[in-house]
Amino acid sequence: MSWGQASAILFGAGVSDRPRPFRSSQPRPPPAPQILEAALLLSLLWMPALLPVASRLLLLPRALLTMASGSPPSQPSPASSSGYVPGTVSAAFVTCPNERVAKEIARAVVEKRLAACVNLIPQITSIYEWKGELEEDNEVLMMIKTRSSLVPALTDYVRSVHPYEVAEVIALPVEQGNSPYLHWVRQVTESVADSSTVLP
C-alpha cells in the first residue's frame, strides 16, 4: 500500500457525499483490513519523530512535582546498570586552519588531561559569514572527548593557543555510548577534574 493510498483511506480522499448513478447514496467505507493497514503504515512512519517528544513528556510529571515541592531537582540516575550518568562526558568540536595546528592542540589537551582522546578529521570545508563577507575555507575538525566538567577549562586553553580571533569550541553532552569507553574517558581525565586549577 502506498502513502497516497494510506492517507486516502484514513482521511477519506475521493469519497463523495453526492449520490452516484447506479450506486447507493451512502458512501461505502473501505474494508476494515485496509484501515488497519493504513493506520499501521502511518504509525510506523510517524513513530520515530514522536519518540523524543514522548520520552520528554514522560519526565514532565516528575519535573512538575519537583517544582511544586520547592526542592532542587535530583541528579540524573544512571542510564543503565553500568553506572554511567548521562551527560557527564562530552564531545567537544574545534576547527583548526591546518593539521599542524590541530595536532599541536590535540597533543597538548591530552597531555594536560583536559581530554582523553582527540580525533582529527582532515579536509572539511567550512562556509560561514565573517565580518560581513561570505567565507569558504578548508579546515581540520577536532573531536575531543572529555568530562563535561572540564569543558570550561578546555575552552579556556584552546582560546589561549588557537590562531583564530574567535576559536570554535562547542561541546555536546554524551547521553549514551559504550560504557567501558565512557568510563575510560572519565578515568583518564579524573586527576584534572578533581583539582581546582588547570595549568596552562
Side-chain angles (χ1 to χ4, degrees):
M1 173 178 291
S2 72
W3 171 256
Q5 290 172 324
S7 61
I9 290 167
L10 279 179
F11 301 114
V15 176
S16 170
D17 292 326
R18 290 179 292 140
R20 296 182 185 146
F22 308 110
R23 292 195 183 171
S24 166
S25 63
Q26 296 294 326
R28 195 169 107 197
Q34 286 181 331
I35 291 175
L36 293 175
E37 185 179 350
L40 179 62
L41 176 65
L42 287 174
S43 66
L44 290 175
L45 291 172
W46 282 97
M47 193 177 302
L50 295 177
L51 282 177
V53 174
S55 66
R56 297 272 186 218
L57 288 175
L58 291 174
L59 297 175
L60 187 59
R62 181 176 175 200
L64 291 174
L65 285 174
T66 300
M67 288 171 30
S69 69
S71 62
S74 60
Q75 292 296 320
S77 59
S80 67
S81 61
S82 69
Y84 174 71
V85 178
T88 56
V89 169
S90 285
F93 300 91
V94 175
T95 51
C96 293
N98 57 52
E99 194 170 337
R100 181 187 57 78
V101 170
K103 280 184 178 179
E104 287 173 6
I105 294 173
R107 288 183 191 282
V109 297
V110 171
E111 286 172 1
K112 294 176 183 303
R113 295 187 178 269
L114 290 172
C117 174
V118 180
N119 303 111
L120 302 182
I121 305 166
Q123 299 176 357
I124 65 164
T125 301
S126 296
I127 300 171
Y128 56 97
E129 184 181 320
W130 181 247
K131 297 184 179 181
E133 298 291 323
L134 188 63
E135 303 285 341
E136 181 174 328
D137 287 317
N138 292 322
E139 294 182 297
V140 175
L141 178 64
M142 301 171 62
M143 186 170 70
I144 304 168
K145 277 77 72 184
T146 187
R147 284 178 180 249
S148 296
S149 62
L150 290 176
V151 170
L154 173 70
T155 302
D156 289 344
Y157 178 77
V158 169
R159 289 177 60 205
S160 73
V161 298
H162 204 286
Y164 289 169
E165 185 179 336
V166 178
E168 174 187 346
V169 184
I170 56 174
L172 302 170
V174 176
E175 294 298 316
Q176 300 178 54
N178 179 20
S179 220
Y181 181 82
L182 297 172
H183 285 292
W184 171 79
V185 169
R186 291 180 52 79
Q187 179 185 359
V188 168
T189 56
E190 189 169 28
S191 62
V192 175
D194 292 341
S195 68
S196 58
T197 60
V198 177
L199 300 175

